[in-house]
C-alpha cells in the first residue's frame, strides 16, 4: 500500500481514537458481563485486593483468592460465600514460581480456567536506598515484579487459546513519578507498568482482541502500607474507592485507571514539563512520603 495513503489512515485512526476517548469521559463504554468469569485476585486477604474480590463477586464472578495471609483470604472468601457468591481461598506466595505453578494447577482442577487475573499482591518498605538490606531489595523485586511473570505465564496461554481474558495490574502513582524513600518500590512499579504495556502489544500482535489489560495507579490508600503519606491538596483514599474504580475500569476494558483521575493529566505533564519545573510543582504540592521508620533519628 502507498505510504501516503497508509498515513492518512493512521491520521484518521488517531482522530477517531481521540474522539472516542473524549466521548467515553462523558458516556462511558458499557460494563461487560462477568457472571461466567473466574477471577483470581492475588493478595486478596487484605486492603485493595480484598475489596476488589468483594466487588467482583457482587458483579457475579467466581472469585479465587491467593495470599500468604491465610486468615485474611479465608475471611474474604467466607464473606463472599455467605453473601451468596462463590469464592475459594488458597495459600500461595506469588514470589515463588513453584508455588504459583502448583496452586494454578490446583485452581484449574478444582474450579476451572482463570479468565481474569488481578495481580495485586505487593509490599512496600519506605526506606532510603542505603537503609534497605540486600534481602529487602531482592524480596520487593520478587513480590512486586517477578511474581507477575509467574502468574501471567500460568494463566495467559488459556486466555490466548480462547481469545478471552483480562489481566489487571496494580501499579502505583509512584510508577508515574519516582518518589524519595520509594526508590526500590517505584522501580518495581515502573517495571510492572512496562510489563503490561509490552504484554498488551504482544497480545495485540497475536491478534487476540478478546484479551485485555488494565493498569491501576493509585495514590495513597488507607491500608496501612504507607505510614506517613504527604499530600498538601489531596487525601488518602479508602481501599473500597480504589477497588470500585479499578473494577469499573476493568469492566469497561480501560487500559489505565488513575486514582485520583487527575493523575492521568499529571502523568502527561511529566512527559513534557522540564524536570526542574515538574519537581517544583511536586514540592509545592508536598507530595511524597516521609521515611518509614518509627524513630526518624534511628
Ligand atoms: N496502599 C497504598 O497506598 C497503595 C498505593 C498505590 C499502590 N498500591 C498497591 O496496591 C496493591 C495492594 O496494596 P494494599 O495497600 O491493599 O496492601 P495490603 O498490605 O493491605 O495488602 C496486600 C496483600 O498482599 C499480600 N501479599 C504480600 N506479599 C505476598 C506474596 N508474596 N504472595 C501473596 N500475597 C502476598 C498480603 O498478605 C496482603 O494481604 C499493592 O500492589 C500495592 O503496591 C498501594
Ligand atoms: C511454571 O509454569 C510455566 C508455564 O507453564 C513453565 O514454563 C515453567 O517451566 C514452570 N516452572 C516451574 C519451576 O515449574
Amino acid at each position: 500500500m502507498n505510504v501516503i495513503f497508509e498515513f492518512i489512515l493512521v491520521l484518521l485512526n488517531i482522530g477517531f481514537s481521540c474522539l472516542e476517548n473524549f466521548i467515553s469521559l462523558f458516556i462511558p463504554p458499557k460494563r461487560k458481563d462477568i457472571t461466567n468469569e473466574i477471577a483470581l485476585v492475588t493478595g486478596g486477604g487484605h486492603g485493595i485486593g480484598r475489596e476488589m474480590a468483594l466487588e467482583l463477586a457482587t458483579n457475579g464472578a467466581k472469585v479465587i483468592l491467593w495470599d500468604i495471609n491465610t486468615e485474611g483470604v479465608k475471611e474474604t472468601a467466607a464473606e463472599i460465600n455467605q453473601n451468596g457468591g462463590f469464592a475459594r481461598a488458597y495459600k500461595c506466595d506469588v514470589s515463588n514460581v513453584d508455588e504459583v505453578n502448583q496452586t494454578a494447577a490446583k485452581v484449574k482442577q478444582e474450579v476451572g480456567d482463570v479468565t481474569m487475573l488481578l495481580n495485586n499482591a505487593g509490599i512496600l518498605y519506605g526506606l532510603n536506598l542505603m537503609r534497605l538490606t540486600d534481602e529487602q531489595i531482592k524480596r520487593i523485586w520478587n513480590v512486586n515484579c517477578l511474581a507477575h511473570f509467574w502468574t501471567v505465564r500460568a494463566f495467559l496461554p488459556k486466555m490466548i487459546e480462547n481469545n478471552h481474558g483480562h489481566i489487571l495490574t496494580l501499579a502505583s502513582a509512584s510508577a508515574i513519578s519516582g518518589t524519595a524513600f520509594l526508590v526500590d518500590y517505584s522501580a518495581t512499579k515502573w517495571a510492572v507498568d512496562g510489563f503490561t504495556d509490552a504484554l498488551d502489544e504482544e497480545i495485540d500482535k497475536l491478534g487476540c482482541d478478546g484479551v485485555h489489560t488494565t493498569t491501576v495507579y493509585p495514590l495513597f490508600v488507607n491500608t496501612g502500607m504507607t505510614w506517613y503519606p504527604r499530600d498538601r491538596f489531596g487525601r488518602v483514599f479508602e481501599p473500597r474507592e480504589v477497588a470500585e474504580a479499578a473494577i469499573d475500569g476493568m469492566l469497561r476494558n480501560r487500559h489505565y485507571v488513575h486514582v485520583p483521575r487527575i493523575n492521568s493529566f499529571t502523568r502527561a505533564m511529566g512527559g513534557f514539563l522540564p524536570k526542574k519545573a515538574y519537581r517544583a510543582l511536586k514540592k509545592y504540592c508536598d507530595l511524597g512520603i516521609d521515611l518509614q521508620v518509627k524513630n526518624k533519628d534511628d
Side-chain angles (χ1 to χ4, degrees):
M1 220 193 299
N2 172 317
V3 79
I4 308 277
F5 179 64
E6 269 182 52
F7 186 61
I8 293 171
L9 285 185
V10 171
L11 284 182
L12 284 174
N13 193 334
I14 292 173
F16 179 76
S17 304
C18 289
L19 186 68
E20 189 182 45
N21 213 32
F22 183 72
I23 292 174
S24 85
L25 290 176
F26 306 99
I27 311 167
K30 265 184 69 176
R31 283 161 70 111
K32 59 185 173 189
D33 174 31
I34 56 165
T35 44
N36 291 318
E37 308 294 329
I38 299 179
L40 187 155
V41 184
T42 71
H46 193 259
I48 301 166
R50 176 187 149 81
E51 296 297 331
M52 289 197 299
L54 297 174
E55 186 64 13
L56 287 163
T58 304
N59 283 281
K62 288 184 177 171
V63 180
I64 312 293
L65 301 148
W66 284 10
D67 208 303
I68 44 175
N69 171 356
T70 40
E71 284 309 305
V73 262
K74 272 191 206 151
E75 273 170 33
T76 312
E79 186 169 338
I80 291 172
N81 290 324
Q82 272 157 24
N83 291 331
F86 176 102
R88 293 283 178 278
Y90 296 82
K91 178 183 176 293
C92 180
D93 180 346
V94 290
S95 68
N96 181 325
V97 62
D98 290 312
E99 259 184 58
V100 167
N101 282 5
Q102 281 159 20
T103 320
K106 226 191 220 175
V107 167
K108 184 184 165 67
Q109 199 195 356
E110 293 174 5
V111 186
D113 288 318
V114 168
T115 55
M116 302 173 91
L117 170 63
L118 293 88
N119 274 321
N120 158 81
I123 54 172
L124 179 151
Y125 297 112
L127 301 175
N128 57 303
L129 185 62
M130 294 315 293
R131 207 182 285 244
L132 288 162
T133 65
D134 298 351
E135 285 316 310
Q136 284 177 316
I137 293 169
K138 288 180 192 160
R139 181 78 191 149
I140 200 165
W141 277 99
N142 282 332
V143 177
N144 289 10
C145 183
L146 286 179
H148 293 238
F149 287 80
W150 313 143
T151 56
V152 169
R153 277 158 55 91
F155 298 112
L156 184 64
K158 267 287 169 210
M159 295 186 192
I160 300 279
E161 194 183 311
N162 300 329
N163 189 22
H164 180 78
H166 204 133
I167 294 167
L168 177 141
T169 304
L170 244 300
S172 155
S174 66
I176 60 179
S177 170
T179 305
F181 311 135
L182 292 176
V183 173
D184 55 338
Y185 182 84
S186 286
T188 62
K189 292 299 184 180
W190 217 292
V192 292
D193 187 25
F195 174 85
T196 12
D197 202 43
L199 182 67
D200 192 80
E201 183 170 306
E202 201 168 290
I203 292 167
D204 182 61
K205 284 221 165 157
L206 293 172
C208 286
D209 55 0
V211 181
H212 304 273
T213 71
T214 299
T215 312
V216 187
Y217 311 84
L219 201 58
F220 304 117
V221 192
N222 183 18
T223 62
M225 186 173 254
T226 34
W227 306 342
Y228 309 120
R230 300 188 71 92
D231 186 353
R232 188 173 183 184
F233 301 108
R235 63 184 176 91
V236 174
F237 292 89
E238 289 306 317
R240 179 85 226 142
E241 299 174 85
V242 176
E244 275 173 9
I247 302 303
D248 187 70
M250 191 179 198
L251 299 198
R252 298 184 200 279
N253 289 334
R254 292 199 196 276
H255 277 107
Y256 311 114
V257 175
H258 291 275
V259 183
R261 280 174 76 169
I262 182 99
N263 269 4
S264 59
F265 177 68
T266 315
R267 178 181 220 181
M269 273 199 314
F272 68 81
L273 279 184
K275 182 82 177 176
K276 213 170 111 182
Y278 194 69
R279 176 76 42 83
L281 196 61
K282 203 171 164 184
K283 271 191 187 156
Y284 169 70
C285 296
D286 190 17
L287 204 54
I289 69 159
D290 286 344
L291 197 56
Q292 257 182 221
V293 288
K294 291 259 154 60
N295 177 0
K296 293 206 189 87
D297 301 321
D298 271 354

